[in-house]
Amino acid sequence: MTVTEQLASLETSPEWEDIEFPPGDLESQELPLETYLHLQQILLLIKCLDWLWQDRNDYFDAGNLTIYYSPHQKKSSDFRGPDFFVVLDTERRSRKSWVVWEEGGKYPNIIVELLSSSTAKTDRTEKKKIYQDIFRTPEYFWFDPESLEFQGFALIQGTYQPITPNDMGHLWSEQLQLFLGIENRQLRFFSPDSVLVPTPEESATEAQRQLGSVQNELITTQNQLEIERHQKDQLAVKLRELGIDPEQL
C-alpha cells in the first residue's frame, strides 16, 4: 500500500481521528558531506539542471536534503537524504525537506548517490533496496567522485535492472530525457544528442566566444571592404593618368 493509500485509510479510520500528524516543515537531518568533491558534484548537478530547465516550474531538485516517508512520528528512522534527487510534476519552490505525506505521496523520480569509503556499501545495498522497494524510484544512479565508479539502474517490474551504457559510456535517464555521463572527472548531464548540458558560467563563456567570433568576422569583412575600396581608388587614379574617365566605364 502506498503512503497516499495509507494516509487515506488512516483518515477514515475512527481510531486514528485524534492523531496529530507531524508538520510538513520538518528540518533536514542530513550530516555534512564527505568531501569538497562531493559538495561540488551536488552543486554542479543542481546548477546544470536548473539552468537547462529554467523555464519550467513543474519539478523539484535538491541535494543532501532529507526525505521523510513515515508520518508516524517527527523523528524516526524512516527518512533518507539522497545526495541528489529530482521529483517531477510538482511545484518548484523552496523546501526545508521533502515530506512525502505533504507532497501527495510523491517520491523522487530519480536519485543519485555519491559513493565514499564510508557510504559505498550502504549505497549499493541498503539504500538501493529502500529506493527500490519503498520509494519505488524509477531510476537510481551512483557515482564515486574519487574512483569514477558509475552505474545506473531502472526499475523494471519492481526490480532495479542495470542501465546499459551507450558508446560514450553515458547512461540514459528516461525520467529526465537526458544522458548522465562523466566529463572531466565529474558527473554531468548530456542532451539526447550527447551534447554536454552547460552550467550558466559555461553558457556565458560560449556566448562570449560566439560574440567574439562574430565580431572578428565583422572586422575581417570591414578590412576586406576597405582593401577593395583602396584598390578601386588606385585603379581610378591609374585610369585618369591614362586619360580615361572611370565614371564612363
Side-chain angles (χ1 to χ4, degrees), residues 84-108:
F84 173 77
F85 67 90
V86 182
V87 184
L88 301 176
D89 300 319
T90 190
E91 183 183 1
R92 184 179 179 183
R93 59 179 175 81
S94 176
R95 293 170 170 86
K96 295 179 180 179
S97 60
W98 183 266
V99 185
V100 171
W101 61 89
E102 292 287 338
E103 302 285 355
K106 282 183 175 294
Y107 285 88

Side-chain angles (χ1 to χ4, degrees), residues 4 8 33 91 105 109 115 128 143 164 167 174 237:
T4 303
L33 294 169
E91 183 183 1
N109 292 75
L115 305 182
K128 182 183 177 185
F143 173 66
T164 303
D167 294 339
E174 188 69 27
V237 171

Side-chain angles (χ1 to χ4, degrees), residues 106-149:
K106 282 183 175 294
Y107 285 88
N109 292 75
I110 173 176
I111 287 175
V112 177
E113 290 288 5
L114 302 179
L115 305 182
S116 68
S117 57
S118 63
T119 67
K121 182 178 179 180
T122 300
D123 291 335
R124 296 190 188 105
T125 56
E126 180 183 340
K127 282 189 176 181
K128 182 183 177 185
K129 185 172 179 58
I130 289 174
Y131 299 154
Q132 171 186 277
D133 298 340
I134 299 178
F135 283 26
R136 314 297 291 166
T137 292
E139 293 170 350
Y140 174 43
F141 298 84
W142 66 55
F143 173 66
D144 189 326
E146 296 283 355
S147 69
L148 305 186
E149 177 185 340

Side-chain angles (χ1 to χ4, degrees), residues 1 3 5-22 70-74:
M1 182 181 294
V3 170
E5 292 170 339
Q6 292 174 357
L7 292 179
S9 175
L10 292 178
E11 290 173 354
T12 56
S13 176
E15 62 180 298
W16 293 96
E17 287 182 353
D18 297 328
I19 289 182
E20 182 178 348
F21 284 92
S70 172
H72 300 299
Q73 53 184 325
K74 180 175 180 179

